[in-house]
Amino acid sequence: MTPAARVQAAIEILDQILDGTPAEKALTSWARRSRFAGSKDRAAVRDHVFDALRRRESAAFFGGGPHGRGLMIGILRQDGADLDDLFSGNGYGPAPLTEKDSTTSDGEEPLDLPEWLHAPMRASLGAAFEATHDALRGRAPVILRVNLGKTTVAAAQEVLAQDGIMVRPMDLVDTALEVTEGARRVKNNAAYLTGLVELQDASSQALVAALSIDNSMKVLDYCAGGGGKTLAMAGRADASYFAHDALPQRMADLPARAKRAGVNVQIVEEPQACAPYDVVLCDVPCSGSGTWRRAPDAKWRFTPADLAQLEMTQSEILEQAKTYVAPDGVLVYATCSVLEAENAAQTDRFLQNNPAWELVWHRQFLLSDGGDGFFGAILRKK
């Protein structure tokens, strides 16, 4: 595909997304219909679509309107691309620019956030709002976690380098490596295939590093999902690990991932059957606002009603999970959110309702720390 044809494909996919089709579904459907598109073409089209969704409001502002063509014009204009070359009408490329396309809107450039979120995000982030907003408009780094149960950071770097995958250590946590070159080759590299490294954000790794887990402990990952944090904990201590999720299908890949990592994990349908646990980790369902650069479509689908429902769910999970904690154990609360309503407000409410518990540690990770926006808190009985 030519660069112009890739732009036209992105325009058509964006129009479907704007009409209500989830981004991943629209991209997958296009790829299935477009057998002529190679892997580089699919990657380029995906990048165009996600860039446009990250900057949807400002792209529409600079591109002539909130439609696929307008978003792509706006993104490319912001990025300094040669629009006349890409919008020439030749081959399978988009039609030539018109006067409407070439004229930006009047007024102040909008924020790339749903309008209802402007105030709560400003209140939650304070002085960090502008930097966080700007970071959410860009692409997320590819970050690996070194499995210390199998290798060292230096040895993992050597194996990655054999395929031209260049990485750099991150200050946030000792197990994190940011990929600087060759990210698309990671999943075919021996380091990944043999469980020496896993794809995992640095903020999640930093939360795990803050936990004090030894080999004698029982640990429950109560909202396990794909099991990334279970594997991260197991990479640091050979404890007894249990994984549970309200939707068990989310854990479908965990057995294979655990085998690759050299970790034993027991999946439990009824957590109380193996209680109590020394550590109960609750990485609860949340807005994902700290990860919206990875899933920008979610930002525009998120509503006030969604937030209200999530707050109720998060509170209910904490209240249930506390019953699984051993008398001298800890309850760990985590979200990939930067909204205070999901973070400090939740732990404050829990402590008010449960005066026998205390806050041991907490941290709001910002995108400026190097990873995703993330919140973690450790609670224990007094």
Side-chain angles (χ1 to χ4, degrees), residues 3 6-7 10 14 43-53 72 76:
R6 291 170 174 175
V7 171
L14 284 166
V45 170
R46 183 183 183 87
D47 286 346
H48 279 325
V49 169
F50 273 57
D51 285 343
L53 291 174
M72 281 310 305
L76 294 167

Side-chain angles (χ1 to χ4, degrees), residues 336-358:
C336 50
S337 174
V338 295
L339 295 172
E340 185 177 6
E342 300 183 275
N343 297 337
Q346 281 288 8
T347 54
D348 287 348
R349 184 180 304 112
F350 177 83
L351 294 171
Q352 290 170 4
N353 294 336
N354 297 274
W357 289 74
E358 63 181 349

